[in-house]
């Protein structure tokens, strides 16, 4: 009798080991798939953050580039736009006159709002949007005065020109 009881328990143990092995394998597979999904979502989030940060830098660079150019803004014009191409994208800059110059407005200078929209066109994954940010700044068009005096600094001293 004891020999038949031993045979039954070993057969039951084999079935239990097979079921446990299948359960552990299934759990490991599900955990591995979930970790791949989590890593993929983190990568997309990081890429989007980099894209928007890059787009903000492009928008600011486009705004400063626009101010450094000798654009044809005058008291008679009311609108100006340009596209500035940069290394990892471009910036669309639009200047719109908000207030004309004159005594009726209380100011001698016209007031402009200059808006720069930066778009990051660096390579992104398929189906992922490009980063885009917009910055704006008020500006007044005034004639600058540059004095003729300048200084040249060299290793051997300062020479006033």
């Amino acid at each position: 009798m004891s020999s038949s009881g031993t045979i039954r328990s070993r057969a039951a143990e084999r079935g239990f080991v097979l079921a446990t092995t299948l359960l552990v394998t299934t759990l490991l597979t599900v955990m591995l798939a979930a970790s791949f999904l989590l890593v993929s979502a983190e990568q997309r989030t990081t890429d989007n953050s980099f894209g928007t940060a890059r787009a903000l830098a492009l928008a600011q660079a486009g705004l400063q580039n626009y101010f450094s150019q000798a654009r044809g803004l005058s008291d008679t014009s009311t609108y100006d736009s340009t596209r500035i191409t940069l290394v990892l994208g471009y910036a669309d800059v639009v200047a719109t006159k908000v207030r004309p110059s004159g005594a009726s407005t209380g100011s001698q200078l016209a007031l402009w709002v200059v808006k720069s929209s930066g778009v990051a066109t660096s390579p992104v994954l398929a189906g992922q949007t490009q980063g885009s940010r917009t910055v704006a700044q008020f500006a007044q068009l005034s004639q600058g005065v540059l004095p003729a005096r300048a200084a040249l600094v060299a290793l051997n001293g300062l020479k006033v020109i």
Side-chain angles (χ1 to χ4, degrees), residues 96-110:
T96 307
K97 187 186 286 188
V98 177
R99 181 186 65 201
S101 62
S104 63
T105 61
S107 174
Q108 296 295 329
L109 302 173

Side-chain angles (χ1 to χ4, degrees), residues 2 9 17-18 26 31 39 42 46 53 66 81 91-92 99-100 105 114 133 141-142 148 158-159:
S2 65
S9 66
V17 169
L18 180 62
T26 303
M31 287 173 30
V39 167
E42 287 292 326
T46 304
Y66 179 82
S81 68
D92 289 327
R99 181 186 65 201
T105 61
V114 183
R133 294 296 285 272
L141 181 64
S142 64
L158 176 70
K159 181 179 180 185

Side-chain angles (χ1 to χ4, degrees), residues 47 54 88 120-125 128:
D47 285 344
R54 201 174 298 122
L88 294 174
T121 59
S122 59
V124 293
L125 298 174
Q128 201 171 14

